[in-house]
Amino acid sequence: MTSTLYFPPSLQRFEPRRMVFSTWVDHLPFAYDLVTAIRPQVVVELGVYNGLSFFTFCQAMVENDIDGVAYGIDCWEGDEHTDAYDDSIFKDVQHHAREHYRGITYLLRMYFNEALRHFEPDSIDLLHIDGLHTYEAVKEDFGNWYPKVKPGGIILFHDVMARIKDFGAWKFFAELEEEHEEIFRFNHGFGLGVLRKPGGSPAHTELTELLFSRDPETEKRLRQLYSHAAHFLEARRQARRFKPKTHAEADKGGQGKQAGEG
């Protein structure tokens, strides 16, 4: 069992620049820390929706001076799990990308299979699979995109603990756990799976050593750490929402009210 004292960057300095409703909120600290650790040159997300996970990857890249680009791929039409939605979701994501991450983000509004031709084999450092969550869809996305990931690259799977409706990411990931050595599963929230593609010269960092230690006690502690980190992030965010106004803020607000009453 390792005795490494790991103090993740997300607990030191991470303040999400984008917060929208998403079950991905439980894994934001890990997403930030993973990008900080492996310093990917090419990030690809399949299934962006409102951009919570995608922009966390981007934020980590900017704040840690990582020279890379992030591609968000989505039709932005909805599916049988999200239901259909209007164009406002895409426009909001597009605006946020332009406002905060111009030059490092590319939004590809197309189906996942259509986007395959834009990426060379062994070119992606970090792939996030978060599209339609049926067993068949997740299996197809993994099969199509796995060759595009560099040996030693990381693949993330969202909702690997969600056994609702016809979700099947949990079932497919369980099969991968039987086949791969370097694989890890977070159980909190809706779950997040982490797989490292064999080969290459993968980044050896504190976080990756813990992720793929294959030591039950280390895995248990890492799961606990990131479950607590998610609760801490949310508690800190809520505390700031209800933070009492300073005298200057109160005075400014009062002046604005008086001006409006005139």
Side-chain angles (χ1 to χ4, degrees), residues 115-239:
L116 283 166
R117 60 188 175 88
H118 295 288
F119 299 88
E120 296 294 325
D122 301 339
S123 63
I124 299 171
D125 298 284
L126 176 62
L127 173 69
H128 175 214
I129 298 176
D130 196 16
L132 183 63
H133 283 38
T134 64
Y135 172 86
E136 294 77 14
V138 177
K139 184 176 182 178
E140 179 182 355
D141 291 340
F142 177 78
N144 288 340
W145 286 87
Y146 186 78
K148 305 293 186 180
V149 178
K150 289 181 180 178
I154 299 289
I155 305 171
L156 300 179
F157 302 78
H158 191 219
D159 290 336
V160 295
M161 294 299 291
R163 302 194 180 201
I164 57 176
K165 300 180 180 179
D166 59 346
F167 279 35
W170 65 270
K171 182 179 180 181
F172 182 67
F173 193 75
E175 293 177 1
L176 293 177
E177 288 179 305
E178 296 296 321
E179 302 168 0
H180 292 263
E181 285 291 321
E182 294 187 312
I183 193 165
F184 186 88
R185 173 172 37 83
F186 288 104
N187 299 327
H188 65 286
F190 275 39
L192 185 70
V194 187
L195 183 152
R196 182 156 66 183
K197 186 175 181 177
S201 301
H204 290 285
T205 69
E206 285 185 283
L207 179 54
T208 57
E209 292 298 311
L210 294 170
L211 276 169
F212 307 122
S213 69
R214 306 297 291 182
D215 176 71
E217 185 63 25
T218 298
E219 291 179 351
K220 175 184 174 182
R221 291 182 178 182
L222 192 63
R223 290 188 180 102
Q224 290 174 335
L225 171 65
Y226 277 104
S227 177
H228 292 318
H231 289 301
F232 174 75
L233 185 67
E234 178 61 17
R236 187 171 61 187
R237 191 174 72 89
Q238 292 292 341

Side-chain angles (χ1 to χ4, degrees), residues 1-6 206 209-210 221:
M1 183 182 72
T2 181
S3 59
T4 301
L5 179 62
Y6 175 58
E206 285 185 283
E209 292 298 311
L210 294 170
R221 291 182 178 182

Side-chain angles (χ1 to χ4, degrees), residues 64-132:
N64 293 282
D65 297 319
I66 298 170
D67 184 15
V69 292
Y71 296 89
I73 305 170
D74 202 315
C75 62
W76 278 283
E77 296 173 352
D79 56 39
E80 60 193 73
H81 291 156
T82 63
D83 294 329
Y85 49 82
D86 62 30
D87 211 40
S88 63
I89 300 292
F90 173 72
K91 290 180 178 178
D92 181 52
V93 169
Q94 186 181 51
H95 174 76
H96 191 83
R98 289 174 174 173
E99 185 76 14
H100 299 287
Y101 304 109
R102 185 183 296 271
I104 72 162
T105 57
Y106 297 89
L107 303 179
L108 306 183
R109 194 171 190 182
M110 60 184 68
Y111 293 106
F112 301 160
N113 290 349
E114 294 175 334
L116 283 166
R117 60 188 175 88
H118 295 288
F119 299 88
E120 296 294 325
D122 301 339
S123 63
I124 299 171
D125 298 284
L126 176 62
L127 173 69
H128 175 214
I129 298 176
D130 196 16
L132 183 63

